[in-house]
Short mmCIF file of all heavy atoms in Angstrom, two decimals:
data_model
loop_
_atom_site.label_atom_id
_atom_site.label_comp_id
_atom_site.label_asym_id
_atom_site.label_seq_id
_atom_site.Cartn_x
_atom_site.Cartn_y
_atom_site.Cartn_z
N MET A 1 -5.14 16.45 44.62
CA MET A 1 -6.29 15.88 45.17
C MET A 1 -7.46 15.82 44.09
O MET A 1 -7.78 16.86 43.48
CB MET A 1 -6.68 16.79 46.39
CG MET A 1 -7.99 16.36 47.06
SD MET A 1 -7.89 14.89 48.13
CE MET A 1 -6.52 15.34 49.19
N VAL A 2 -8.13 14.79 44.09
CA VAL A 2 -9.23 14.55 43.24
C VAL A 2 -10.47 14.15 44.02
O VAL A 2 -10.41 13.30 44.92
CB VAL A 2 -9.02 13.47 42.09
CG1 VAL A 2 -10.25 13.13 41.32
CG2 VAL A 2 -7.81 13.72 41.20
N ILE A 3 -11.61 14.93 43.77
CA ILE A 3 -12.85 14.55 44.50
C ILE A 3 -13.82 14.16 43.44
O ILE A 3 -14.11 14.75 42.40
CB ILE A 3 -13.30 15.81 45.26
CG1 ILE A 3 -12.31 16.28 46.23
CG2 ILE A 3 -14.67 15.51 45.92
CD1 ILE A 3 -12.67 17.00 47.46
N GLY A 4 -14.46 12.93 43.78
CA GLY A 4 -15.50 12.43 42.92
C GLY A 4 -16.74 12.23 43.70
O GLY A 4 -16.73 11.97 45.01
N VAL A 5 -17.83 12.47 43.09
CA VAL A 5 -19.13 12.13 43.68
C VAL A 5 -19.74 11.10 42.90
O VAL A 5 -20.02 11.26 41.73
CB VAL A 5 -20.01 13.48 43.65
CG1 VAL A 5 -21.38 13.19 44.27
CG2 VAL A 5 -19.32 14.63 44.42
N THR A 6 -20.09 9.97 43.53
CA THR A 6 -20.77 8.86 42.83
C THR A 6 -22.09 8.66 43.39
O THR A 6 -22.30 8.48 44.60
CB THR A 6 -19.86 7.58 42.90
OG1 THR A 6 -18.64 7.80 42.31
CG2 THR A 6 -20.46 6.43 42.21
N MET A 7 -23.08 8.67 42.47
CA MET A 7 -24.59 8.28 42.89
C MET A 7 -24.63 6.88 42.55
O MET A 7 -24.20 6.35 41.58
CB MET A 7 -25.47 9.09 42.07
CG MET A 7 -25.62 10.52 42.47
SD MET A 7 -24.24 11.65 42.07
CE MET A 7 -24.46 11.82 40.36
N VAL A 8 -25.23 6.13 43.52
CA VAL A 8 -25.36 4.67 43.53
C VAL A 8 -26.70 4.24 43.72
O VAL A 8 -27.48 4.76 44.59
CB VAL A 8 -24.46 4.09 44.67
CG1 VAL A 8 -24.52 2.63 44.72
CG2 VAL A 8 -23.05 4.52 44.52
N ASN A 9 -27.19 3.27 42.84
CA ASN A 9 -28.38 2.62 43.06
C ASN A 9 -28.14 1.16 43.50
O ASN A 9 -27.11 0.49 43.02
CB ASN A 9 -29.23 2.46 41.78
CG ASN A 9 -29.92 3.79 41.44
OD1 ASN A 9 -30.22 4.57 42.34
ND2 ASN A 9 -30.26 4.09 40.19
N VAL A 10 -28.96 0.60 44.40
CA VAL A 10 -28.77 -0.76 44.86
C VAL A 10 -30.09 -1.52 44.70
O VAL A 10 -31.04 -0.90 44.52
CB VAL A 10 -28.28 -0.83 46.30
CG1 VAL A 10 -26.90 -0.07 46.47
CG2 VAL A 10 -29.26 -0.15 47.31
N LEU A 11 -30.00 -2.85 44.97
CA LEU A 11 -31.21 -3.68 44.87
C LEU A 11 -32.15 -3.26 46.00
O LEU A 11 -31.61 -3.00 47.14
CB LEU A 11 -30.84 -5.17 45.04
CG LEU A 11 -30.01 -5.74 43.88
CD1 LEU A 11 -29.51 -7.07 44.40
CD2 LEU A 11 -30.84 -5.91 42.64
N PRO A 12 -33.39 -3.23 45.75
CA PRO A 12 -34.36 -2.91 46.84
C PRO A 12 -34.18 -3.76 48.05
O PRO A 12 -34.06 -5.04 47.86
CB PRO A 12 -35.68 -3.09 46.21
CG PRO A 12 -35.44 -3.03 44.69
CD PRO A 12 -34.08 -3.50 44.53
N GLY A 13 -34.20 -3.21 49.24
CA GLY A 13 -34.05 -4.03 50.51
C GLY A 13 -32.63 -4.16 50.88
O GLY A 13 -32.44 -4.80 51.94
N SER A 14 -31.56 -3.87 50.04
CA SER A 14 -30.22 -4.08 50.40
C SER A 14 -29.52 -2.91 50.82
O SER A 14 -28.21 -2.86 50.82
CB SER A 14 -29.53 -4.75 49.17
OG SER A 14 -29.39 -3.84 48.09
N GLU A 15 -30.18 -1.81 51.09
CA GLU A 15 -29.54 -0.55 51.52
C GLU A 15 -28.53 -0.75 52.70
O GLU A 15 -27.39 -0.15 52.56
CB GLU A 15 -30.58 0.51 51.79
CG GLU A 15 -31.32 0.89 50.64
CD GLU A 15 -32.59 0.02 50.29
OE1 GLU A 15 -32.81 -0.91 51.03
OE2 GLU A 15 -33.26 0.42 49.29
N ARG A 16 -28.93 -1.34 53.73
CA ARG A 16 -28.03 -1.48 54.90
C ARG A 16 -26.78 -2.27 54.57
O ARG A 16 -25.70 -1.91 54.89
CB ARG A 16 -28.85 -2.16 56.03
CG ARG A 16 -28.00 -2.13 57.39
CD ARG A 16 -28.72 -2.63 58.64
NE ARG A 16 -30.00 -1.87 58.79
CZ ARG A 16 -30.14 -0.64 59.40
NH1 ARG A 16 -29.03 -0.07 59.68
NH2 ARG A 16 -31.27 -0.05 59.50
N SER A 17 -26.94 -3.43 53.91
CA SER A 17 -25.76 -4.30 53.55
C SER A 17 -24.93 -3.54 52.60
O SER A 17 -23.64 -3.60 52.59
CB SER A 17 -26.19 -5.71 53.00
OG SER A 17 -26.92 -5.54 51.79
N ALA A 18 -25.50 -2.79 51.57
CA ALA A 18 -24.74 -2.00 50.66
C ALA A 18 -23.88 -0.95 51.28
O ALA A 18 -22.73 -0.68 51.01
CB ALA A 18 -25.64 -1.40 49.58
N PHE A 19 -24.61 -0.23 52.27
CA PHE A 19 -23.86 0.75 53.05
C PHE A 19 -22.61 0.20 53.77
O PHE A 19 -21.57 0.80 53.75
CB PHE A 19 -24.83 1.47 54.06
CG PHE A 19 -24.23 2.44 54.96
CD1 PHE A 19 -24.03 3.73 54.53
CD2 PHE A 19 -23.71 2.04 56.23
CE1 PHE A 19 -23.45 4.69 55.33
CE2 PHE A 19 -23.12 3.04 57.03
CZ PHE A 19 -22.93 4.34 56.60
N ASN A 20 -22.87 -0.97 54.41
CA ASN A 20 -21.70 -1.60 55.19
C ASN A 20 -20.60 -1.96 54.20
O ASN A 20 -19.38 -1.82 54.53
CB ASN A 20 -22.19 -2.77 55.96
CG ASN A 20 -23.23 -2.38 57.06
OD1 ASN A 20 -23.07 -1.22 57.65
ND2 ASN A 20 -24.07 -3.29 57.51
N GLU A 21 -20.96 -2.47 53.06
CA GLU A 21 -19.90 -2.88 52.11
C GLU A 21 -19.21 -1.69 51.55
O GLU A 21 -17.95 -1.64 51.47
CB GLU A 21 -20.47 -3.63 50.93
CG GLU A 21 -20.94 -5.07 51.34
CD GLU A 21 -21.36 -5.82 50.05
OE1 GLU A 21 -20.66 -5.90 49.11
OE2 GLU A 21 -22.66 -6.24 50.12
N LEU A 22 -19.90 -0.62 51.22
CA LEU A 22 -19.26 0.63 50.69
C LEU A 22 -18.35 1.30 51.75
O LEU A 22 -17.25 1.83 51.47
CB LEU A 22 -20.37 1.65 50.31
CG LEU A 22 -21.13 1.15 49.02
CD1 LEU A 22 -22.36 2.22 48.83
CD2 LEU A 22 -20.25 1.09 47.79
N ASN A 23 -18.82 1.16 53.01
CA ASN A 23 -18.09 1.79 54.13
C ASN A 23 -16.73 1.08 54.25
O ASN A 23 -15.81 1.78 54.88
CB ASN A 23 -18.85 1.68 55.42
CG ASN A 23 -18.78 2.90 56.20
OD1 ASN A 23 -18.34 3.91 55.85
ND2 ASN A 23 -19.39 2.81 57.40
N ARG A 24 -16.50 -0.02 53.75
CA ARG A 24 -15.20 -0.79 53.85
C ARG A 24 -14.17 -0.40 52.91
O ARG A 24 -12.99 -0.72 52.88
CB ARG A 24 -15.42 -2.29 53.81
CG ARG A 24 -16.19 -2.82 55.09
CD ARG A 24 -16.32 -4.37 54.89
NE ARG A 24 -17.27 -4.83 55.84
CZ ARG A 24 -18.34 -5.28 55.58
NH1 ARG A 24 -18.67 -5.52 54.21
NH2 ARG A 24 -19.24 -5.76 56.41
N ILE A 25 -14.62 0.37 51.85
CA ILE A 25 -13.76 0.73 50.71
C ILE A 25 -12.89 1.95 51.02
O ILE A 25 -13.41 3.05 51.30
CB ILE A 25 -14.54 1.00 49.43
CG1 ILE A 25 -15.25 -0.22 49.06
CG2 ILE A 25 -13.55 1.46 48.35
CD1 ILE A 25 -16.25 -0.11 47.78
N GLU A 26 -11.63 1.76 51.09
CA GLU A 26 -10.63 2.87 51.36
C GLU A 26 -10.71 3.88 50.31
O GLU A 26 -10.71 3.64 49.10
CB GLU A 26 -9.26 2.35 51.54
CG GLU A 26 -8.36 3.39 52.17
CD GLU A 26 -6.92 2.74 52.40
OE1 GLU A 26 -6.92 1.45 52.73
OE2 GLU A 26 -5.95 3.49 52.31
N GLY A 27 -10.77 5.19 50.70
CA GLY A 27 -10.83 6.36 49.78
C GLY A 27 -12.20 6.95 49.73
O GLY A 27 -12.33 8.06 49.28
N ILE A 28 -13.17 6.21 50.26
CA ILE A 28 -14.51 6.78 50.39
C ILE A 28 -14.53 7.73 51.63
O ILE A 28 -14.24 7.14 52.71
CB ILE A 28 -15.69 5.74 50.36
CG1 ILE A 28 -15.73 5.03 49.05
CG2 ILE A 28 -16.95 6.28 50.84
CD1 ILE A 28 -16.73 3.95 48.83
N LYS A 29 -14.82 8.94 51.42
CA LYS A 29 -14.84 9.87 52.58
C LYS A 29 -16.20 9.90 53.25
O LYS A 29 -16.27 9.93 54.49
CB LYS A 29 -14.54 11.23 52.04
CG LYS A 29 -14.40 12.26 53.13
CD LYS A 29 -13.95 13.60 52.57
CE LYS A 29 -13.80 14.59 53.70
NZ LYS A 29 -13.39 15.92 53.27
N ASP A 30 -17.26 9.95 52.53
CA ASP A 30 -18.60 10.00 53.08
C ASP A 30 -19.52 9.26 52.28
O ASP A 30 -19.44 9.08 51.11
CB ASP A 30 -19.13 11.51 53.17
CG ASP A 30 -18.38 12.26 54.17
OD1 ASP A 30 -18.29 11.87 55.40
OD2 ASP A 30 -17.79 13.33 53.74
N ILE A 31 -20.63 8.70 53.00
CA ILE A 31 -21.72 8.03 52.26
C ILE A 31 -22.99 8.50 52.81
O ILE A 31 -23.15 8.61 54.05
CB ILE A 31 -21.67 6.46 52.50
CG1 ILE A 31 -20.36 5.89 52.05
CG2 ILE A 31 -22.83 5.77 51.71
CD1 ILE A 31 -20.09 4.43 52.54
N TYR A 32 -23.92 9.00 51.93
CA TYR A 32 -25.17 9.53 52.34
C TYR A 32 -26.28 8.78 51.68
O TYR A 32 -26.34 8.55 50.49
CB TYR A 32 -25.35 11.01 51.88
CG TYR A 32 -24.27 11.90 52.53
CD1 TYR A 32 -23.15 12.25 51.77
CD2 TYR A 32 -24.52 12.43 53.78
CE1 TYR A 32 -22.17 13.02 52.31
CE2 TYR A 32 -23.45 13.23 54.34
CZ TYR A 32 -22.33 13.54 53.60
OH TYR A 32 -21.41 14.37 54.16
N HIS A 33 -27.21 8.20 52.46
CA HIS A 33 -28.39 7.54 52.00
C HIS A 33 -29.40 8.61 51.71
O HIS A 33 -29.77 9.48 52.55
CB HIS A 33 -28.91 6.63 53.15
CG HIS A 33 -30.21 5.81 52.68
ND1 HIS A 33 -31.25 5.72 53.37
CD2 HIS A 33 -30.35 5.04 51.59
CE1 HIS A 33 -32.16 5.01 52.81
NE2 HIS A 33 -31.58 4.56 51.63
N VAL A 34 -29.89 8.61 50.45
CA VAL A 34 -30.74 9.68 49.89
C VAL A 34 -32.02 9.19 49.38
O VAL A 34 -32.11 7.93 49.10
CB VAL A 34 -29.93 10.54 48.97
CG1 VAL A 34 -28.84 11.26 49.52
CG2 VAL A 34 -29.55 9.76 47.71
N PHE A 35 -32.99 10.03 49.13
CA PHE A 35 -34.20 9.59 48.57
C PHE A 35 -34.33 10.24 47.21
O PHE A 35 -33.84 11.32 46.90
CB PHE A 35 -35.35 10.05 49.43
CG PHE A 35 -35.41 9.55 50.80
CD1 PHE A 35 -34.88 10.25 51.89
CD2 PHE A 35 -35.93 8.31 50.98
CE1 PHE A 35 -34.92 9.66 53.04
CE2 PHE A 35 -35.92 7.68 52.22
CZ PHE A 35 -35.44 8.37 53.37
N GLY A 36 -34.92 9.59 46.24
CA GLY A 36 -35.01 10.07 44.86
C GLY A 36 -34.51 9.06 43.90
O GLY A 36 -34.64 7.80 44.06
N GLU A 37 -33.92 9.60 42.87
CA GLU A 37 -33.42 8.74 41.80
C GLU A 37 -32.37 7.81 42.16
O GLU A 37 -32.20 6.67 41.68
CB GLU A 37 -32.95 9.64 40.62
CG GLU A 37 -32.60 8.94 39.31
CD GLU A 37 -32.21 9.76 38.17
OE1 GLU A 37 -32.50 10.96 38.17
OE2 GLU A 37 -31.66 9.26 37.23
N TYR A 38 -31.53 8.10 43.13
CA TYR A 38 -30.39 7.35 43.64
C TYR A 38 -30.62 6.93 45.06
O TYR A 38 -31.39 7.61 45.78
CB TYR A 38 -29.03 8.07 43.45
CG TYR A 38 -28.83 8.28 42.02
CD1 TYR A 38 -29.01 9.56 41.37
CD2 TYR A 38 -28.17 7.30 41.18
CE1 TYR A 38 -28.82 9.83 40.09
CE2 TYR A 38 -28.07 7.53 39.89
CZ TYR A 38 -28.31 8.79 39.38
OH TYR A 38 -28.03 9.00 37.98
N ASP A 39 -29.93 5.85 45.46
CA ASP A 39 -30.02 5.40 46.91
C ASP A 39 -28.95 5.93 47.74
O ASP A 39 -29.16 6.12 48.95
CB ASP A 39 -29.96 3.85 46.90
CG ASP A 39 -31.06 3.27 46.17
OD1 ASP A 39 -32.30 3.59 46.50
OD2 ASP A 39 -30.83 2.36 45.31
N PHE A 40 -27.72 6.20 47.21
CA PHE A 40 -26.68 6.74 47.95
C PHE A 40 -25.86 7.80 47.14
O PHE A 40 -25.88 7.70 45.87
CB PHE A 40 -25.58 5.67 48.26
CG PHE A 40 -26.17 4.64 49.19
CD1 PHE A 40 -26.58 3.37 48.90
CD2 PHE A 40 -26.13 4.82 50.60
CE1 PHE A 40 -27.12 2.42 49.68
CE2 PHE A 40 -26.66 3.89 51.56
CZ PHE A 40 -27.08 2.70 51.06
N VAL A 41 -25.36 8.80 47.82
CA VAL A 41 -24.29 9.59 47.22
C VAL A 41 -22.99 9.37 48.00
O VAL A 41 -23.01 9.38 49.23
CB VAL A 41 -24.71 11.16 47.38
CG1 VAL A 41 -23.63 12.04 46.86
CG2 VAL A 41 -26.02 11.43 46.61
N VAL A 42 -21.98 9.06 47.29
CA VAL A 42 -20.77 8.68 47.84
C VAL A 42 -19.67 9.72 47.49
O VAL A 42 -19.53 10.01 46.32
CB VAL A 42 -20.31 7.21 47.32
CG1 VAL A 42 -18.95 6.88 47.89
CG2 VAL A 42 -21.32 6.16 47.75
N ILE A 43 -18.97 10.22 48.45
CA ILE A 43 -17.92 11.20 48.28
C ILE A 43 -16.62 10.44 48.29
O ILE A 43 -16.36 9.77 49.36
CB ILE A 43 -17.98 12.32 49.35
CG1 ILE A 43 -19.37 12.90 49.44
CG2 ILE A 43 -16.96 13.39 48.99
CD1 ILE A 43 -19.93 13.57 48.25
N ILE A 44 -15.85 10.60 47.29
CA ILE A 44 -14.59 9.92 47.15
C ILE A 44 -13.40 11.00 47.09
O ILE A 44 -13.59 12.01 46.38
CB ILE A 44 -14.48 9.09 45.94
CG1 ILE A 44 -15.56 8.08 45.91
CG2 ILE A 44 -13.07 8.39 45.84
CD1 ILE A 44 -15.88 7.36 44.58
N GLU A 45 -12.40 10.85 47.94
CA GLU A 45 -11.28 11.80 47.93
C GLU A 45 -10.01 11.01 47.83
O GLU A 45 -9.64 10.20 48.60
CB GLU A 45 -11.34 12.60 49.25
CG GLU A 45 -10.45 13.74 49.33
CD GLU A 45 -10.60 14.61 50.52
OE1 GLU A 45 -11.66 15.27 50.67
OE2 GLU A 45 -9.67 14.60 51.30
N VAL A 46 -9.28 11.20 46.68
CA VAL A 46 -8.11 10.47 46.43
C VAL A 46 -7.04 11.38 45.71
O VAL A 46 -7.33 12.52 45.50
CB VAL A 46 -8.40 9.25 45.45
CG1 VAL A 46 -9.25 8.21 46.13
CG2 VAL A 46 -9.06 9.70 44.19
N ASP A 47 -5.86 10.79 45.51
CA ASP A 47 -4.66 11.60 44.92
C ASP A 47 -4.77 11.81 43.39
O ASP A 47 -4.23 12.74 42.95
CB ASP A 47 -3.41 10.94 45.23
CG ASP A 47 -3.08 11.00 46.79
OD1 ASP A 47 -3.61 11.94 47.38
OD2 ASP A 47 -2.51 10.04 47.38
N ASP A 48 -5.36 10.88 42.68
CA ASP A 48 -5.41 10.93 41.20
C ASP A 48 -6.60 10.22 40.56
O ASP A 48 -7.28 9.53 41.28
CB ASP A 48 -4.04 10.49 40.62
CG ASP A 48 -3.80 9.09 41.02
OD1 ASP A 48 -4.64 8.14 40.80
OD2 ASP A 48 -2.69 8.68 41.59
N LEU A 49 -6.77 10.52 39.28
CA LEU A 49 -7.94 9.95 38.52
C LEU A 49 -7.78 8.39 38.46
O LEU A 49 -8.85 7.71 38.50
CB LEU A 49 -8.03 10.52 37.08
CG LEU A 49 -8.67 11.96 37.08
CD1 LEU A 49 -8.50 12.49 35.62
CD2 LEU A 49 -10.10 11.95 37.58
N GLY A 50 -6.64 7.85 38.42
CA GLY A 50 -6.52 6.43 38.30
C GLY A 50 -6.99 5.77 39.66
O GLY A 50 -7.74 4.84 39.51
N HIS A 51 -6.73 6.32 40.79
CA HIS A 51 -7.18 5.83 42.07
C HIS A 51 -8.78 5.98 42.09
O HIS A 51 -9.47 5.11 42.63
CB HIS A 51 -6.58 6.56 43.20
CG HIS A 51 -6.69 5.84 44.48
ND1 HIS A 51 -6.21 6.35 45.69
CD2 HIS A 51 -7.18 4.67 44.86
CE1 HIS A 51 -6.50 5.55 46.58
NE2 HIS A 51 -7.10 4.53 46.15
N LEU A 52 -9.32 7.12 41.60
CA LEU A 52 -10.71 7.35 41.57
C LEU A 52 -11.38 6.19 40.71
O LEU A 52 -12.41 5.64 41.18
CB LEU A 52 -11.04 8.67 41.08
CG LEU A 52 -12.60 9.00 40.86
CD1 LEU A 52 -13.27 8.90 42.22
CD2 LEU A 52 -12.74 10.28 40.18
N ASN A 53 -10.88 5.93 39.59
CA ASN A 53 -11.35 4.99 38.74
C ASN A 53 -11.36 3.52 39.47
O ASN A 53 -12.34 2.83 39.35
CB ASN A 53 -10.54 4.75 37.44
CG ASN A 53 -11.08 3.86 36.44
OD1 ASN A 53 -12.30 4.03 36.09
ND2 ASN A 53 -10.34 2.88 36.10
N SER A 54 -10.26 3.22 40.19
CA SER A 54 -10.18 1.93 40.90
C SER A 54 -11.32 1.88 42.02
O SER A 54 -11.93 0.81 42.12
CB SER A 54 -8.82 1.82 41.57
OG SER A 54 -7.84 1.73 40.55
N ILE A 55 -11.56 2.92 42.70
CA ILE A 55 -12.65 2.92 43.71
C ILE A 55 -13.93 2.78 43.06
O ILE A 55 -14.79 2.05 43.56
CB ILE A 55 -12.46 4.22 44.56
CG1 ILE A 55 -11.23 4.16 45.35
CG2 ILE A 55 -13.68 4.34 45.47
CD1 ILE A 55 -10.83 5.37 46.21
N VAL A 56 -14.19 3.49 41.98
CA VAL A 56 -15.53 3.36 41.31
C VAL A 56 -15.70 1.95 40.83
O VAL A 56 -16.78 1.35 40.92
CB VAL A 56 -15.71 4.41 40.27
CG1 VAL A 56 -16.84 4.14 39.33
CG2 VAL A 56 -15.70 5.82 40.77
N ASP A 57 -14.62 1.39 40.34
CA ASP A 57 -14.69 -0.10 39.98
C ASP A 57 -15.06 -1.00 41.19
O ASP A 57 -15.85 -1.90 41.05
CB ASP A 57 -13.39 -0.55 39.32
CG ASP A 57 -13.14 -0.03 37.91
OD1 ASP A 57 -14.16 0.41 37.30
OD2 ASP A 57 -11.98 -0.16 37.41
N LEU A 58 -14.52 -0.68 42.31
CA LEU A 58 -14.88 -1.45 43.50
C LEU A 58 -16.28 -1.26 43.89
O LEU A 58 -16.94 -2.24 44.32
CB LEU A 58 -13.90 -0.99 44.62
CG LEU A 58 -12.48 -1.61 44.60
CD1 LEU A 58 -11.67 -0.93 45.77
CD2 LEU A 58 -12.39 -3.10 44.60
N ILE A 59 -16.79 0.00 43.72
CA ILE A 59 -18.23 0.22 44.07
C ILE A 59 -19.12 -0.58 43.09
O ILE A 59 -20.01 -1.19 43.56
CB ILE A 59 -18.54 1.67 43.95
CG1 ILE A 59 -17.83 2.50 45.10
CG2 ILE A 59 -20.05 1.93 43.99
CD1 ILE A 59 -17.87 4.06 44.97
N ARG A 60 -18.76 -0.60 41.80
CA ARG A 60 -19.55 -1.35 40.79
C ARG A 60 -19.52 -2.82 41.06
O ARG A 60 -20.54 -3.48 40.71
CB ARG A 60 -19.09 -0.99 39.40
CG ARG A 60 -19.38 0.47 39.01
CD ARG A 60 -18.78 0.72 37.61
NE ARG A 60 -19.20 2.09 37.31
CZ ARG A 60 -18.51 2.77 36.36
NH1 ARG A 60 -17.54 2.24 35.70
NH2 ARG A 60 -18.89 4.06 36.13
N GLU A 61 -18.44 -3.32 41.61
CA GLU A 61 -18.29 -4.75 41.83
C GLU A 61 -19.09 -5.21 43.11
O GLU A 61 -19.23 -6.41 43.32
CB GLU A 61 -16.81 -5.10 41.99
CG GLU A 61 -16.09 -4.96 40.71
CD GLU A 61 -14.51 -5.10 40.83
OE1 GLU A 61 -14.10 -5.39 42.01
OE2 GLU A 61 -13.82 -4.87 39.86
N THR A 62 -19.54 -4.25 43.89
CA THR A 62 -20.36 -4.62 45.12
C THR A 62 -21.65 -5.24 44.68
O THR A 62 -22.30 -4.79 43.69
CB THR A 62 -20.64 -3.31 45.90
OG1 THR A 62 -19.32 -2.72 46.20
CG2 THR A 62 -21.40 -3.69 47.16
N GLU A 63 -21.89 -6.43 45.23
CA GLU A 63 -22.95 -7.32 44.80
C GLU A 63 -24.30 -6.66 44.66
O GLU A 63 -25.02 -6.87 43.67
CB GLU A 63 -23.10 -8.47 45.77
CG GLU A 63 -24.03 -9.61 45.32
CD GLU A 63 -24.00 -10.77 46.29
OE1 GLU A 63 -23.02 -11.07 46.89
OE2 GLU A 63 -25.07 -11.45 46.35
N SER A 64 -24.69 -5.81 45.54
CA SER A 64 -26.08 -5.18 45.51
C SER A 64 -26.09 -3.96 44.63
O SER A 64 -27.18 -3.43 44.48
CB SER A 64 -26.52 -4.97 46.93
OG SER A 64 -25.59 -4.03 47.63
N VAL A 65 -25.01 -3.43 44.21
CA VAL A 65 -24.97 -2.26 43.34
C VAL A 65 -25.51 -2.58 41.94
O VAL A 65 -25.06 -3.45 41.32
CB VAL A 65 -23.64 -1.56 43.25
CG1 VAL A 65 -23.59 -0.42 42.26
CG2 VAL A 65 -23.22 -1.05 44.64
N THR A 66 -26.57 -1.80 41.52
CA THR A 66 -27.12 -2.00 40.09
C THR A 66 -26.64 -0.95 39.19
O THR A 66 -26.67 -1.17 37.93
CB THR A 66 -28.60 -2.08 40.28
OG1 THR A 66 -29.20 -0.80 40.78
CG2 THR A 66 -29.11 -3.18 41.14
N ALA A 67 -26.33 0.23 39.62
CA ALA A 67 -25.90 1.28 38.68
C ALA A 67 -25.15 2.44 39.49
O ALA A 67 -25.42 2.60 40.61
CB ALA A 67 -27.23 1.90 38.06
N THR A 68 -24.30 3.11 38.77
CA THR A 68 -23.50 4.27 39.33
C THR A 68 -23.49 5.36 38.29
O THR A 68 -23.58 5.08 37.12
CB THR A 68 -22.17 3.87 39.79
OG1 THR A 68 -21.36 3.50 38.53
CG2 THR A 68 -22.09 2.77 40.72
N GLN A 69 -23.28 6.54 38.86
CA GLN A 69 -23.01 7.71 38.01
C GLN A 69 -21.97 8.48 38.76
O GLN A 69 -22.22 8.87 39.88
CB GLN A 69 -24.23 8.53 37.65
CG GLN A 69 -23.88 9.63 36.68
CD GLN A 69 -25.10 10.44 36.22
OE1 GLN A 69 -26.21 10.09 36.61
NE2 GLN A 69 -24.92 11.31 35.26
N THR A 70 -20.87 8.82 38.10
CA THR A 70 -19.82 9.57 38.83
C THR A 70 -19.51 10.90 38.19
O THR A 70 -19.52 11.07 36.96
CB THR A 70 -18.48 8.73 38.85
OG1 THR A 70 -18.69 7.55 39.48
CG2 THR A 70 -17.36 9.54 39.54
N ILE A 71 -19.33 11.92 39.06
CA ILE A 71 -19.03 13.30 38.70
C ILE A 71 -17.71 13.69 39.33
O ILE A 71 -17.45 13.31 40.51
CB ILE A 71 -20.04 14.23 39.18
CG1 ILE A 71 -21.38 14.02 38.51
CG2 ILE A 71 -19.64 15.71 38.80
CD1 ILE A 71 -22.56 14.72 39.21
N VAL A 72 -16.74 14.14 38.52
CA VAL A 72 -15.45 14.53 39.05
C VAL A 72 -15.38 16.08 39.27
O VAL A 72 -15.80 16.83 38.34
CB VAL A 72 -14.37 14.11 38.02
CG1 VAL A 72 -12.96 14.48 38.62
CG2 VAL A 72 -14.39 12.56 37.80
N GLY A 73 -15.00 16.42 40.44
CA GLY A 73 -14.93 17.82 40.81
C GLY A 73 -13.71 18.55 40.09
O GLY A 73 -12.65 17.92 39.86
N ALA A 74 -13.87 19.83 39.71
CA ALA A 74 -12.89 20.64 39.12
C ALA A 74 -12.72 21.82 39.89
O ALA A 74 -13.68 22.40 40.46
CB ALA A 74 -13.23 20.98 37.70
N GLU A 75 -11.48 22.24 40.03
CA GLU A 75 -11.08 23.47 40.82
C GLU A 75 -11.23 24.70 39.99
O GLU A 75 -10.78 24.71 38.81
CB GLU A 75 -9.70 23.34 41.44
CG GLU A 75 -9.33 24.49 42.31
CD GLU A 75 -7.89 24.34 42.87
OE1 GLU A 75 -7.37 23.18 42.83
OE2 GLU A 75 -7.39 25.27 43.36
N LEU A 76 -11.96 25.72 40.48
CA LEU A 76 -11.98 27.02 39.70
C LEU A 76 -11.06 27.92 40.32
O LEU A 76 -10.89 28.08 41.55
CB LEU A 76 -13.44 27.62 39.87
CG LEU A 76 -14.57 26.79 39.24
CD1 LEU A 76 -15.92 27.49 39.63
CD2 LEU A 76 -14.28 26.73 37.74
N LYS A 77 -10.25 28.65 39.42
CA LYS A 77 -9.24 29.62 39.89
C LYS A 77 -9.50 30.86 39.31
O LYS A 77 -10.00 31.08 38.27
CB LYS A 77 -7.86 29.10 39.60
CG LYS A 77 -7.42 27.89 40.35
CD LYS A 77 -6.06 27.56 40.17
CE LYS A 77 -5.68 26.35 40.92
NZ LYS A 77 -4.24 26.14 40.98
#
């Protein structure tokens, strides 16, 4: 299991439509609209890094998305 956290910026005024578009992407577990440097924090839960990469690519291809930053979770044992 791979968990990624992607911070997303969108065009001003497009938050609702961006949320609806992001909500359609399979593999996205949660979407949080936040205040500050980013507009959304997106939690992605998938089986492998390749799938995570594909989902981040889909997020970046969303019309209203202007920037992303992704952090990959690591398990501590």
